[in-house]
Amino acid sequence: MSIKQYFFKTDYRFVFLIPVYFLTVAVFAAIAFFNQEWPLFSVLSAFALTIFLFGIYIIKRGLTLLSKVIMLLVNTIFVIFLVVHGGHEHTGYFWVFPILLATIQILGAASGILFACLLVLMIWLLEKWGMTDLALPSRFYFASLALVFISGVHEMALENNRKKLKKQVDDKDNENRLDPLTKVGNRRLVDYELDRMNTQIMDGVAVGALIVDLDNFKKVNDSLGHSAGDEVLKTIADHLTSCIRPSDKVARWGGDEFMVLLYGISLADMERVARRIQESIINDERLESLDVSVSMGGAITSSDYSDLFKAADKNLLSIKNHTKNSFKITML
C-alpha cells in the first residue's frame, strides 16, 4: 500500500488539499492574533474560510479513517489553542464556528453533530476549570449548538439525497447490465467487470474467466423452436448461478455462450467449478433428453487481465474442435 492510500481511498487528485487544509488552519490561528483593523483582514479571512470549507467538501468522501482522525485532532488542538489563549482582544473563539462546520463536513451528519457538541462541551469545561481568561457569553454556546444543529440537518439531507441518487443510478446501471431473458448479466456487465479489474487496485487477486458454450443448441432451436431454446438458455443460466459463489458473476456472452467470472480463485478450484457445472447440467433430465451439454474454455490470471478473455476463448475453440462436453483451463 502506498503512502497516498493511507490517506485517500481511491481518488488522489485532491491530495494537495490536505496540506492546504492545515495551512488554512495556521492562517486562522495567525488572523486570530492580528489586529483586526489590518486592511487585508476581511479579504484574507474570507479567502481562508472559502478554501477551508470548500476543500473539505471536495475531499471528505475520499478520506480514509486515518485522515479524518488527523484532521479532527488538529481541529481539537486548534479549538483549545483559540479558547485558552483568547486571540486578539479575546475574539479568538469566533474562529470556533468554522471548525464546527468543518467537523460536520468531515464526519458526516450523525458523527459530526456528536463530535461538534463534544467540542462545545470541551470549551465550556475549559472555561469552568479556569483554563481561559475568556468570559464567554451564554449566547456563544447557544449560537454554537444552533450552528451545529442546522449544519447537521443540512448535511443529513444532503446525505439522504446522495444515497437516493446513488441508488437510482445503481439500479439503472444494474438494469442495463442485465440480460432480459436469462436474468443474469449481459455483455455490458462483463465489460464493466473488465474495466473494474484494469482501473481498480486488485492487489494481485487471481481472476478466472470461464466461457461456457452450449453443445447441440442449434438442434433444439431447429426442431422445437426458439421458445424451447429460450427455456434451455434460462435453465443453463440457473445451473451456472447455482454452481458459483455470490461474489462471482455470470453473464450471457452472446447467443448460446455464457461468461463466468470467478474472483480470488486458484486453478484447482476453478477446475472444480467447471466439473460442478458439468455434473449439474448432465444430471438435468430435461437437458439430457434434448442432448444439451456444455463445452468450456477458461483462463486464470492475477496480473494481465486484458488477455484473460482471449485466452479463455482460445481454450474453448481448442475443446470444440476436438470434442464436446469437456473443458480446458490454463493459467496465464
Side-chain angles (χ1 to χ4, degrees):
M1 181 178 285
S2 66
I3 294 178
K4 286 182 179 179
Q5 288 172 251
Y6 283 109
F7 298 97
F8 271 71
K9 293 176 183 176
T10 54
D11 196 342
Y12 305 144
R13 289 176 298 169
F14 302 113
V15 69
F16 71 93
L17 286 173
I18 292 288
V20 168
Y21 173 85
F22 295 130
L23 178 62
T24 311
V25 171
V27 170
F28 281 157
I31 291 174
F33 285 84
F34 281 151
N35 187 329
Q36 295 188 27
E37 295 178 359
W38 186 40
L40 293 179
F41 174 79
S42 298
V43 176
L44 185 59
S45 299
F47 177 75
L49 183 60
T50 301
I51 295 295
F52 183 68
L53 295 178
F54 182 67
I56 291 174
Y57 178 79
I58 291 176
I59 65 177
K60 64 179 179 178
R61 277 169 283 179
L63 294 175
T64 62
L65 179 61
L66 177 61
S67 293
K68 292 180 180 181
V69 169
I70 293 174
M71 294 172 81
L72 292 174
L73 181 62
V74 170
N75 286 357
T76 304
I77 294 173
F78 185 43
V79 167
I80 295 173
F81 173 73
L82 289 174
V83 173
V84 171
H85 290 275
H88 178 72
E89 295 182 354
H90 300 295
T91 59
Y93 66 89
F94 285 116
W95 296 101
V96 171
F97 294 122
I99 293 295
L100 295 177
L101 287 173
T103 299
I104 294 173
Q105 286 287 313
I106 293 170
L107 287 180
S111 301
I113 290 174
L114 177 61
F115 195 87
C117 288
L118 289 176
L119 285 178
V120 176
L121 176 62
M122 182 187 67
I123 295 171
W124 181 78
L125 290 175
L126 288 173
E127 184 183 5
K128 292 301 178 183
W129 292 340
M131 298 182 67
T132 175
D133 294 332
L134 294 177
L136 296 176
S138 58
R139 62 179 178 273
F140 165 77
Y141 295 104
F142 288 124
S144 297
L145 293 176
L147 179 67
V148 169
F149 176 76
I150 293 171
S151 300
V153 170
H154 179 256
E155 182 66 19
M156 195 175 297
L158 289 178
E159 287 178 0
N160 288 334
N161 287 337
R162 281 194 293 266
K163 288 178 182 177
K164 289 179 181 178
L165 181 60
K166 185 178 184 303
K167 186 178 184 304
Q168 291 174 357
V169 172
D170 289 344
D171 289 345
K172 188 64 177 177
D173 286 343
N174 291 334
E175 183 181 339
N176 290 336
R177 299 183 194 128
L178 195 68
D179 179 60
L181 175 64
T182 60
K183 304 305 179 186
V184 296
N186 56 20
R187 205 175 186 100
R188 287 194 188 95
L189 175 67
V190 178
D191 292 339
Y192 169 78
E193 291 295 320
L194 179 60
D195 183 64
R196 190 168 69 88
M197 292 178 211
N198 291 325
T199 57
Q200 292 187 4
I201 300 169
M202 299 292 288
D203 291 329
V205 173
V207 179
L210 189 66
I211 302 178
V212 181
D213 184 81
L214 275 63
D215 301 323
N216 305 319
F217 180 70
K218 188 175 183 302
K219 292 180 181 178
V220 176
N221 275 336
D222 292 343
S223 60
L224 300 177
H226 289 284
S227 59
D230 290 346
E231 290 301 317
V232 169
L233 290 173
K234 289 191 282 187
T235 302
I236 293 293
D238 291 340
H239 281 291
L240 295 176
T241 303
S242 66
C243 290
I244 62 172
R245 301 164 298 183
S247 58
D248 299 327
K249 306 293 181 183
V250 177
R252 189 177 175 192
W253 187 237
D256 61 346
E257 284 188 345
F258 291 84
M259 174 72 75
V260 180
L261 296 176
L262 305 144
Y263 292 93
I265 195 165
S266 66
L267 180 59
D269 287 338
M270 191 168 172
E271 289 175 343
R272 277 192 283 271
V273 171
R275 291 192 190 95
R276 189 157 60 240
I277 291 172
Q278 270 189 328
E279 292 171 0
S280 178
I281 292 173
I282 289 172
N283 293 330
D284 188 308
E285 294 181 359
R286 173 166 169 73
L287 294 178
E288 185 182 14
S289 67
L290 296 173
D291 193 28
V292 172
S293 59
V294 293
S295 298
M296 293 173 280
I300 184 170
T301 183
S302 57
S303 56
D304 191 3
Y305 304 113
S306 59
D307 290 333
L308 185 62
F309 298 162
K310 292 180 182 178
D313 193 47
K314 182 179 179 181
N315 288 335
L316 175 63
L317 289 175
S318 175
I319 288 293
K320 296 287 284 187
N321 289 335
H322 294 88
T323 183
K324 293 181 180 180
N325 192 27
S326 186
F327 65 85
K328 179 181 179 181
I329 302 171
T330 56
M331 176 78 77
L332 296 184

